Amino acid sequence: MTVTNDAARTAEAAEATIPAASRAERFASYDVEAFEVPGGREENWRFTPMKRLRGLHDGSAAASGEVKVDADAAPEVRVENVARDDERLGEAGVPSDRIAAQAYSAFDSATLVTVPKDTVASAPSLIRLTGPGEGKTAYGHVQVRAEAFAQATVVLDHVGSGTYADNVEFVIGDGAQLTVLSVQDWADDAVHVSEQHLRLGRDARLKHVVVTLGGDLVRVSPTATFAGPGGDVEMLGVHFADAGQHQEHRLFVDHAVPHCKSNVLYKGALQGDGAHSVWIGDVLIRAAAEATETFELNRNLVLTEGARADSVPNLEIETGEITGAGHASATGRFDDEQLFYLQSRGIAEEQARRLVVRGFFHEILMKIDVPEVRERLEAAIEAELQAVGA
Amino acid sequence: MSSLEIKDLHAEVVTDEGNKQILKGVNLTIRSGETHAIMGPNGSGKSTLSYAIAGHPKYAVTSGEVLLDGENVLEMSVDERARAGVFLAMQYPVEVPGVSMSNFLRSAATAVRGEAPKLRHWVKEVKEEMGKLDISSEFAERSVNEGFSGGEKKRHEILQLALLKPKIAVLDETDSGLDVDALRVVSDAVNEYKANNEVGVMLITHYTRILKHIHPDFVHVFAGGRIVESGGKELADELEENGYVKYTDKAEPAKV
Ligand SMILES: Nc1ncnc2c1ncn2[C@@H]1O[C@H](COP(=O)(O)OP(=O)(O)O)[C@@H](O)[C@H]1O
Ligand SMILES: [Mg+2]
């Protein structure tokens, strides 16, 4: 067993504190009223600017619009609109905070994307979700189901304006392999709070990629659980916060069954006044989860003054019988030595900055083997880079 | 015909605890075709001199001048200096994760030459230069300097010299970290570049052994932030004999 803990943080990073309560005792419910209205001091809300949630957390944000769903799916993949009482919904997990429960209580109908049993999708499926529009609020629900031994790639592209809270479920059947990309490419005004439930069957594999670029406030909380042994989840994230943006990613990997793997790598860049990113990486290895292998890493690159990254990895281990576990987190300023080196070879400052930032994200791109997903991600990073050094 | 004139250069290193004066009046002129060895004990300010010429933000010039063919180098940005023809092979080349060597070299060549080299010629050119330096082709896809050994980093610095074709090359302890074979390979590449291009070389070194491969026209002893003695090859021989004891209070050998 190896346990590593390298939690180097610099002045830009906040003090990391160990959560008071173990993630094992975390409360979850489909019912919004079962949660108290958070005031902002609670462990899971303390980084979130509550005022900017526009009432999503206290019941005052009534639905006033809808998210438009456009699907361009592979021919083997079925996309349906189902009623909220469809019995398949809720299978991947239970809302664990009040906004997720609010979204679960308030959505009208859900988008269900199914990759049938034993089917290999011949192309990525693109689901585009367009926000309700400026000043409007919507609640939604999406479930992506990869049935046993299915293989597919699904992209959820979030664009447009407005306020949106949702639950996204990924139900990965036994032996299935799914790559998903959730892109938050919102307009500047958007507020998006999303709980993503990742449920892996026996020997299932999931590559879950989160890319957060736009929006005023985006809070994505992916929770991974295993329904049987042999599951392997890779959770990758890229976030790029500009002036005034709040981007929060709260990950929880709950290892409760033996012989599962999780690997988390999130990288964020920040630039501009008031750019704020929060990364929480909770990994719990319960007593039963023998032979678990887990590693999580978060790196942040602070490009300018006035931007702030909070990074809190937290590994709880309740069994000694694990294969390996580790976490690391680091936040650094832009490296002037790298910039100097590139410039000393004639490369102009702006281009040098872009090279360095592109290089910073390269490690994640390398892990994405689906060309379409990789290209989408590259394009998103390139678009952000246009603003670097400006 | 080019020249780099360093006139009464004073510079400080900028640190969190305040600035510290390092260079205390350096005077030196390097012309194309000349090789000047700068030899001095550790901590005498040799790297500071090279960084001040290249424009490293941590080193602030407080007075004096650096002119390249009469143009004020100190007013140029770091990248402008490189494009004007000044090259610094660093003592400690910097790692740039995620940026491939090939992308880096091509970006640099494009910047320095003013246009992107034609791909076909470029690939051939890089391959040829890498071959001369015994650099295996797999390095092209590796991140800049990342995980390179000390010797591999130094070879890549000289690879950049060959590709960027500067008028003035400052080689800061290129010999340190090289074994005997690597030293010969790297020296051969420098000598070949010198033979085929109009270049002035400032060869910074602590030890005399590289001077057996790259022959200096002038030898300068650097101590306490300035040149304290200048001469020809014989000065290096003397240093090899006696070390730096004459110039510092510590006995530091100049020979390995
Ligand atoms: N970045 C730095 N921070 C603090 N001190 C430095 C820095 N760079 C150089 N110095 C100091 O300046 C002096 C000269 O260093 P340097 O130019 O590297 O010498 P040399 O290359 O001759 O060994 C040394 O005393 C060194 O400690
Ligand atoms: Mg030095």
Side-chain angles (χ1 to χ4, degrees):
Chain A
M1 176 183 118
T2 54
V3 177
T4 53
N5 178 359
D6 136 41
R9 279 178 215 92
T10 55
E12 303 88 38
E15 296 285 295
T17 52
I18 302 301
S22 160
R23 284 305 293 251
E25 278 117 50
R26 184 171 76 142
F27 179 75
S29 171
Y30 294 109
D31 176 17
V32 61
E33 296 309 333
F35 292 86
E36 276 187 47
V37 172
R41 312 188 85 137
E42 299 78 4
E43 179 52 40
N44 68 339
W45 293 105
R46 67 189 179 102
F47 291 109
T48 312
M50 305 303 283
K51 287 202 182 79
R52 284 157 66 184
L53 286 170
R54 298 179 188 152
L56 285 172
H57 63 297
D58 63 10
S60 67
S64 55
E66 275 184 5
V67 156
K68 186 162 148 281
V69 181
D70 297 296
D72 177 10
E76 306 82 6
V77 172
R78 210 164 58 231
V79 181
E80 310 159 72
N81 193 338
V82 302
R84 54 174 293 119
D85 60 357
D86 190 292
E87 62 185 18
R88 290 167 292 188
L89 300 185
E91 194 179 324
V94 183
S96 71
D97 67 42
R98 196 172 198 274
I99 296 182
Q102 176 70 62
Y104 205 94
S105 307
F107 75 91
D108 277 333
S109 61
T111 301
L112 190 61
V113 180
T114 307
V115 193
K117 194 167 186 283
D118 293 322
T119 303
V120 178
S122 56
S125 297
L126 177 70
I127 314 292
R128 173 177 285 246
L129 299 114
T130 307
E134 211 163 337
K136 295 221 165 92
T137 300
Y139 295 99
H141 196 101
V142 175
Q143 185 184 85
V144 178
R145 291 178 81 78
E147 294 181 351
F149 300 101
Q151 288 180 31
T153 295
V154 176
V155 178
L156 303 177
D157 225 335
H158 300 90
V159 296
S161 288
T163 304
Y164 182 49
D166 65 348
N167 286 273
V168 181
E169 297 182 66
F170 300 101
V171 182
I172 326 297
D174 292 350
Q177 295 183 21
L178 187 68
T179 296
V180 295
L181 176 66
S182 179
V183 186
Q184 289 65 244
D185 196 8
W186 297 104
D188 290 345
D189 69 288
V191 169
H192 183 203
V193 179
S194 181
E195 181 157 359
Q196 305 209 344
H197 310 270
L198 289 46
R199 181 76 169 161
L200 285 86
R202 187 185 185 98
D203 299 325
R205 295 183 61 148
L206 171 63
K207 193 172 287 210
H208 179 260
V209 190
V210 170
V211 181
T212 300
L213 306 167
D216 173 65
L217 185 161
V218 174
R219 178 176 146 128
V220 180
S221 307
T223 293
T225 57
F226 300 90
D232 181 348
V233 66
E234 187 165 18
M235 299 165 81
L236 305 174
V238 166
H239 41 105
F240 209 125
D242 294 317
Q245 284 188 303
H246 177 90
Q247 299 178 343
E248 185 165 344
H249 297 90
R250 311 185 68 91
L251 283 74
F252 177 35
V253 184
D254 189 349
H255 281 280
V257 297
H259 295 286
C260 290
K261 265 195 206 175
S262 59
N263 197 341
V264 174
L265 175 62
Y266 268 61
K267 286 196 162 193
L270 301 94
Q271 61 180 350
D273 222 23
H276 188 197
S277 75
V278 177
W279 180 85
I280 310 293
D282 289 338
V283 175
L284 170 64
I285 305 174
R286 296 181 194 258
E290 290 177 3
T292 290
E293 203 179 325
T294 178
F295 191 78
E296 57 167 351
L297 174 64
N298 173 232
R299 294 228 182 281
N300 292 298
L301 182 59
V302 178
L303 298 171
T304 64
E305 301 273 313
R308 171 193 167 105
D310 289 292
S311 178
V312 188
N314 178 42
L315 179 59
E316 286 178 74
I317 306 175
E318 296 175 352
T319 169
E321 304 297 312
I322 58 173
T323 305
H327 65 174
S329 145
T331 295
R333 284 183 195 278
F334 198 86
D335 187 339
D336 290 334
E337 296 293 332
Q338 294 178 2
L339 201 59
F340 170 71
Y341 189 72
L342 297 176
Q343 280 188 268
S344 78
R345 271 46 178 156
I347 299 169
E349 177 175 352
E350 204 169 303
Q351 194 194 349
R353 281 182 169 272
R354 283 182 199 160
L355 279 170
V356 171
V357 178
R358 209 181 274 141
F360 173 73
F361 287 118
H362 183 75
E363 186 183 0
I364 291 191
L365 289 171
M366 292 312 293
K367 290 181 183 279
I368 299 170
D369 40 19
V370 180
E372 291 85 351
V373 172
R374 204 174 142 153
E375 279 159 26
R376 176 72 183 88
L377 188 50
E378 268 168 346
I381 292 171
E382 286 309 308
E384 284 292 329
L385 283 173
Q386 294 312 311
V388 172
Chain B
M1 189 68 185
S2 291
S3 72
L4 184 78
E5 292 168 84
I6 302 166
K7 297 182 181 171
D8 196 27
L9 192 67
H10 288 71
E12 308 178 327
V13 55
V14 182
T15 71
D16 291 341
E17 296 89 52
N19 293 7
K20 185 174 146 199
Q21 176 95 42
I22 308 291
L23 299 186
K24 297 170 182 162
V26 180
N27 288 288
L28 180 65
T29 298
I30 298 175
R31 296 186 181 81
S32 312
E34 298 174 353
T35 296
H36 293 251
I38 306 281
M39 300 196 60
N42 282 326
S44 57
K46 304 182 298 295
S47 291
T48 301
L49 174 62
S50 73
Y51 281 136
I53 295 167
H56 193 295
K58 269 211 188 118
Y59 300 87
V61 171
T62 47
S63 68
E65 281 185 309
V66 179
L67 305 173
L68 177 67
D69 300 333
E71 300 271 342
N72 186 349
V73 168
L74 300 178
E75 274 181 358
M76 301 178 194
S77 66
V78 175
D79 47 295
E80 280 168 352
R81 297 179 197 204
R83 294 197 296 271
V86 178
F87 176 82
L88 168 60
M90 292 183 204
Q91 183 176 1
Y92 301 109
V94 181
E95 302 190 358
V96 191
V99 178
S100 74
M101 211 66 219
S102 67
N103 182 13
F104 163 64
L105 292 175
R106 195 166 159 80
S107 301
T110 302
V112 167
R113 296 179 190 184
E115 59 177 352
K118 294 236 170 8
L119 199 56
R120 201 155 36 86
H121 298 291
W122 173 247
V123 171
K124 191 165 159 263
E125 188 183 350
V126 174
K127 220 173 140 177
E128 223 172 88
E129 297 298 343
M130 283 173 75
K132 285 181 202 162
L133 283 156
D134 274 352
I135 298 172
S136 121
S137 60
E138 80 202 30
F139 276 89
E141 290 322 309
R142 290 182 53 180
S143 292
V144 174
N145 292 320
E146 198 181 35
F148 291 19
S149 70
E152 284 161 356
K153 285 181 182 166
K154 296 302 175 71
R155 286 172 203 245
H156 278 86
E157 293 293 284
I158 301 308
L159 173 65
Q160 292 164 49
L161 167 80
L163 293 170
L164 301 180
K165 303 207 184 318
K167 296 178 194 161
I168 299 292
V170 179
L171 311 182
D172 188 4
E173 296 211 24
T174 298
D175 51 334
S176 63
L178 295 180
D179 61 29
V180 181
D181 293 332
L183 181 63
R184 189 181 35 76
V185 167
V186 163
S187 301
D188 286 351
V190 172
N191 285 331
E192 188 186 318
Y193 180 71
K194 274 174 53 179
N196 298 320
N197 297 274
E198 289 220 325
V199 63
V201 176
M202 184 195 288
L203 185 67
I204 296 174
T205 182
H206 181 97
Y207 300 112
T208 49
R209 68 175 186 151
I210 194 174
L211 305 183
K212 303 203 163 46
H213 300 272
I214 303 173
H215 302 296
D217 304 294
F218 306 92
V219 174
H220 309 276
V221 181
F222 202 87
R226 54 202 186 84
I227 291 172
V228 292
E229 193 168 347
S230 296
K233 267 213 69 164
E234 72 289 346
L235 188 50
D237 298 336
E238 193 196 313
L239 286 171
E240 171 150 356
E241 237 8 76
N242 305 322
Y244 295 106
V245 66
K246 194 169 132 194
Y247 307 99
T248 56
D249 34 18
K250 305 180 294 287
E252 223 181 303
K255 162 178 114 161
V256 275

